[in-house]
């Protein structure tokens, strides 16, 4: 099976400063987390809100899913935390 993202839902975890989303490999559910530092970009100058982070996620959705697929292919776990390095950026 290949990893897919049939559910467009995503949620903001304020306590851990990350956005959570889910992928599926067949019947297996894979939880992914992306830190807001990846999403922040131009938001750093202002005081970003949950809505800002979720909008940034939506704008980067295609790239995030590609990175998530690559991470899953190399790690094959049911929970994967993406980071700056996952996106080819310094930590």
């Amino acid at each position: 099976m290949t990893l897919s993202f049939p559910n467009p839902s995503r949620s903001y975890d304020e306590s851990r400063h990350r956005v959570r989303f889910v992928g599926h490999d067949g019947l297996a559910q894979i939880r992914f987390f992306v830190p807001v530092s990846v999403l922040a970009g131009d938001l750093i100058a202002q005081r970003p809100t949950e809505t800002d982070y979720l909008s940034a996620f939506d704008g980067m959705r295609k790239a995030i899913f590609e990175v998530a697929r690559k991470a899953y292919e190399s790690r094959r776990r049911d929970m994967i935390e993406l980071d700056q390095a996952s996106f080819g950026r310094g930590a």
Side-chain angles (χ1 to χ4, degrees), residues 20-79:
R20 176 185 188 270
F21 64 102
V22 177
H24 293 273
D25 184 358
L27 296 177
Q29 180 173 291
I30 317 302
R31 295 169 294 154
F32 290 92
F33 301 94
V34 62
V36 296
S37 61
V38 170
L39 305 172
D42 296 333
L43 299 175
I44 296 295
Q46 61 188 34
R47 294 174 72 96
T49 65
E50 175 179 349
T51 301
D52 294 326
Y53 290 129
L54 294 177
S55 292
F57 179 94
D58 292 341
M60 295 177 63
R61 188 179 294 268
K62 185 175 179 180
I64 290 169
F65 287 175
E66 266 312 301
V67 169
R69 281 187 185 95
K70 289 177 185 173
Y72 180 69
E73 285 175 15
S74 69
R75 297 181 223 169
R76 295 277 178 184
R77 291 188 240 147
D78 65 352
M79 184 183 85

